[in-house]
Amino acid sequence: MDKELTFAIDWDDVIAPLNAVAIQIYNERTKGEKLTLNHICDWSSGEKLLEPIYRGMELYDRQRPLPEWLIVIPELNEIGKVIIATNPYPEHYAFRKNQIQHFFPLLREDQLRIGPGKETVPFTFLLDDNDHTVGQSKASYPVLFEQPWNHQYPGKKVSTPDEFLRYVKEQCRSKYGLK
């Protein structure tokens, strides 16, 4: 298949839960408060509650990709070029790079995009949970990964890795001749 097809997929809260892990840490630390993902109804509410946890290493140490992505990413990489796009705090860039390479050793270094600006790159597909990033995307097919904080987005949405893979295959069949 055409290696010009690019699939940029966000790490945090798409490939690997971030807010669910942050909430688990928060609940463990507060011993009584019971936050859920539904308490994060937008980016600012998550930042207010969880910012100290976002900056600590415990969160990143606990992050693991959803098992479905361990199957879907290699399949997408056979169709085109998967790029994991992520923008953690700068002090976590090196850790994030190692983390991604640990879970996805098939990806080369040029398939990691760590830092801001993924919405400015003309990928074929972009999958992200940030509705602003998806809305501003230069991708041919910007797709939102549904989360409690982004239900208002009016564009294309998916809620599972398999649903994203099906959407990619549908689009690629008609436009790129994928079987």
Side-chain angles (χ1 to χ4, degrees), residues 110-149:
D110 70 328
Q111 291 179 272
L112 309 180
R113 181 177 174 89
I114 300 174
K118 59 188 156 190
E119 70 278 0
T120 66
V121 180
F123 300 115
T124 311
F125 291 84
L126 171 70
L127 180 63
D128 203 291
D129 66 303
N130 185 322
D131 54 353
H132 178 73
T133 299
V134 174
Q136 298 296 311
S137 177
K138 302 289 185 234
S140 300
Y141 300 93
V143 181
L144 185 78
F145 196 76
E146 286 188 289
Q147 294 288 359
W149 50 88

Side-chain angles (χ1 to χ4, degrees), residues 25-90:
I25 293 167
Y26 179 88
N27 288 340
E28 289 168 5
R29 289 180 183 175
T30 57
K31 298 184 195 295
E33 275 202 61
K34 293 296 175 209
L35 290 180
T36 68
L37 273 182
N38 291 325
H39 286 101
I40 301 177
C41 52
D42 58 39
W43 288 106
S44 63
S45 63
E47 192 76 28
K48 285 178 200 169
L49 290 169
L50 303 170
E51 204 264 337
I53 294 168
Y54 290 156
R55 291 202 171 269
M57 280 307 297
E58 181 181 7
L59 172 60
Y60 303 100
D61 283 335
R62 288 194 193 186
Q63 255 189 315
R64 301 288 179 272
L66 296 170
E68 299 91 338
W69 283 116
L70 298 174
I71 298 164
V72 169
I73 285 178
E75 191 167 340
L76 285 170
N77 209 47
E78 289 295 317
I79 298 169
K81 183 178 182 180
V82 171
I83 296 156
I84 296 182
T86 182
N87 187 24
Y89 289 107

